[in-house]
Amino acid sequence: MIRSVIQGCGAYLPEKIVTNAELATKVETSDEWIQQRTGIRQRHIAADGEFTSHLATKAAQRALDASGVKASDLDLIVLATATPDETFPATATRVQAALGMTRGSAFDVQAVCAGFIYSLSVADSMIKNGIASTALVIGAETFSRILDWNDRGTCVLFGDGAGAVVLKAEQGQGTSHDRGILAHALHSDGRQHDILYVDGGPSSTRTTGYLRMEGKEVFKHAVVNMAAVVGEVLEKAGLTPADIDWLVPHQANKRIIDGTGRKLGLPPGRVVLTVDKHANTSAASIPLALESAVSDGRIKRGDLLLLEGIGGGLAWGASLVRW
Ligand code: UT7
């Protein structure tokens, strides 16, 4: 039985940090409001001329170094992003060239904040059916470029960044004790388009557009859908909440994350939280959180990780990984 085993991970955040207090000088908001409602204290913002592919390439190179894998060993890059460098080609092909990878395939997956989960499941499937054997899965975003900086309801919530993992095909026993990816559950509901979308695009308006969100509505769906999808993925793997060592959630709002942790009966110390430092980095938030808990030694070999996220579409999902 082939398993896709994560060999290592890497992350990159732009140098510039913008605090809540700095934002409060530009829009009518306050550090207190942002922290109380979301848990966010600061976010990183990409420099002029710093694109999604640049963030992605840096995170990818760090993931390769941490894994002891060379770019020439890779035969697949799946890049989750809703903020590509260009309408086409895929930003993943920019990363492929920058890393010096000349074989295999590279493409983008567009599932917004669920993009990393979707990409992990695509790469896992391609490894399991023999199309690829060594893959990079990246989540990278420059959401600062699609924010309406006059809309306080959205501009305080997001940040830029990138995270990546390297997957390799390994032989497993087919049990939940195997290292690697154990199960995924994916969903979308296109009827919910209007509560979270970007009001532009090449086909509709020929512009890039800005992010629009009905936060309260998204919040309600997030709480319900996250509770359901984590139960679903555990059932698929024949596991229970008591088996989870770490919840590594999408980082949109501390209140949503706390709610999911409570429903699973996990103590707060078993939930990886980075929303305070990174804000919501969409597809990058899960691999950024994963890297933070791996690099500081919290996540250890053999631990069971539950990854989950929801965003525009609506699209959502969860993955179970034995580290
Ligand atoms: O990653 C994709 C998934 N996205 C999410 O999961 C986001 C889910 N939603 C949320 O996280 C929350 O709904 C928000 C953080 C976006 C908003 O929190 P809320 O508790 O739902 O607040 P609200 O939108 O109901 O707004 C409450 C009040 C309003 O004022 P009134 O009408 O009560 O007078 C807003 O105008 O807060 C006001 N407000 C602000 N005040 C200060 C909205 N944004 C701000 C702001 N600073 N930045």
Side-chain angles (χ1 to χ4, degrees), residues 221-280:
H221 284 277
V223 170
V224 173
N225 292 335
M226 287 304 96
V229 81
V230 298
E232 182 186 344
V233 78
L234 282 166
E235 199 180 316
K236 275 189 174 179
L239 294 166
T240 71
D243 296 310
I244 301 168
D245 294 298
W246 293 98
L247 175 63
V248 188
H250 171 50
Q251 310 280 324
N253 188 314
K254 184 173 184 298
R255 291 185 289 146
I256 299 173
I257 296 170
D258 288 348
T260 308
R262 269 197 306 275
K263 284 218 170 82
L264 289 166
L266 288 174
R270 289 280 158 183
V271 179
V272 181
L273 207 67
T274 49
V275 69
D276 55 335
K277 293 193 280 292
H278 304 161
N280 183 346

Side-chain angles (χ1 to χ4, degrees), residues 196-207:
L196 180 50
Y197 68 103
V198 168
D199 63 1
S203 178
S204 56
T205 64
R206 301 191 197 182
T207 63

Side-chain angles (χ1 to χ4, degrees), residues 7-48:
Q7 309 293 311
C9 53
Y12 178 77
L13 290 155
E15 232 171 80
K16 185 179 174 190
I17 291 174
V18 176
T19 63
N20 293 346
E22 281 173 80
L23 277 185
T25 66
K26 297 192 175 97
V27 287
E28 204 187 324
T29 189
S30 66
D31 178 42
E32 192 195 359
W33 189 95
I34 301 171
Q35 284 211 44
Q36 269 183 8
R37 303 278 175 146
T38 69
I40 297 166
R41 289 192 288 115
Q42 61 174 48
R43 71 284 295 138
H44 292 251
I45 300 292
D48 290 345

Side-chain angles (χ1 to χ4, degrees), residues 35 47 100 115 136 165 192 211 233 253 296 316:
Q35 284 211 44
L136 253 178
V165 299
Q192 308 303 332
L211 184 149
V233 78
N253 188 314
D296 66 18
W316 66 99

Side-chain angles (χ1 to χ4, degrees), residues 25-310:
T25 66
K26 297 192 175 97
V27 287
E28 204 187 324
T29 189
S30 66
D31 178 42
E32 192 195 359
W33 189 95
I34 301 171
Q35 284 211 44
Q36 269 183 8
R37 303 278 175 146
T38 69
I40 297 166
R41 289 192 288 115
Q42 61 174 48
R43 71 284 295 138
H44 292 251
I45 300 292
D48 290 345
E50 192 174 36
F51 303 158
T52 294
S53 66
H54 302 139
L55 310 187
T57 302
K58 285 181 174 150
Q61 189 58 60
R62 289 175 182 178
L64 289 170
D65 293 346
S67 307
V69 169
K70 296 191 292 291
S72 55
D73 298 330
L74 293 169
D75 48 19
L76 175 66
I77 297 178
V78 186
L79 171 64
T81 190
T83 45
D85 289 12
E86 299 158 320
T87 302
F88 81 79
T91 299
T93 58
R94 286 280 202 188
V95 177
Q96 182 188 28
L99 291 174
M101 171 190 165
T102 52
R103 66 195 188 101
S105 60
F107 59 90
D108 292 355
V109 163
Q110 159 53 298
V112 207
C113 300
F116 188 75
I117 302 283
Y118 271 61
S119 297
L120 205 58
S121 105
V122 169
D124 182 32
S125 302
M126 290 177 73
I127 284 174
K128 283 187 175 137
N129 70 22
I131 295 174
S133 62
T134 309
L136 253 178
V137 180
I138 310 169
E141 302 278 18
T142 46
F143 257 50
S144 61
R145 307 264 154 77
I146 55 164
L147 295 176
D148 175 352
W149 288 96
N150 296 310
D151 175 13
R152 68 175 183 172
T154 54
C155 76
V156 305
L157 303 174
F158 296 90
D160 301 334
V165 299
V166 175
L167 298 181
K168 235 180 167 172
E170 287 186 11
Q171 207 62 41
Q173 303 299 313
T175 76
S176 64
H177 297 289
D178 284 349
R179 289 191 68 218
I181 297 171
L182 302 179
H184 305 279
L186 302 181
H187 294 275
S188 63
D189 181 356
R191 293 170 302 177
Q192 308 303 332
H193 169 276
D194 292 358
I195 63 174
L196 180 50
Y197 68 103
V198 168
D199 63 1
S203 178
S204 56
T205 64
R206 301 191 197 182
T207 63
T208 307
Y210 293 106
L211 184 149
R212 305 295 174 203
M213 179 166 76
E214 289 175 37
K216 251 196 172 31
E217 283 306 308
V218 177
F219 192 102
K220 281 187 224 160
H221 284 277
V223 170
V224 173
N225 292 335
M226 287 304 96
V229 81
V230 298
E232 182 186 344
V233 78
L234 282 166
E235 199 180 316
K236 275 189 174 179
L239 294 166
T240 71
D243 296 310
I244 301 168
D245 294 298
W246 293 98
L247 175 63
V248 188
H250 171 50
Q251 310 280 324
N253 188 314
K254 184 173 184 298
R255 291 185 289 146
I256 299 173
I257 296 170
D258 288 348
T260 308
R262 269 197 306 275
K263 284 218 170 82
L264 289 166
L266 288 174
R270 289 280 158 183
V271 179
V272 181
L273 207 67
T274 49
V275 69
D276 55 335
K277 293 193 280 292
H278 304 161
N280 183 346
T281 56
S282 186
S285 90
I286 294 173
L288 277 169
L290 178 68
E291 194 278 339
S292 80
V294 168
S295 63
D296 66 18
R298 275 179 289 168
I299 291 177
K300 297 192 169 55
R301 199 176 172 133
D303 282 353
L304 183 71
L305 318 183
L306 175 56
L307 282 44
E308 47 88 342
I310 182 166

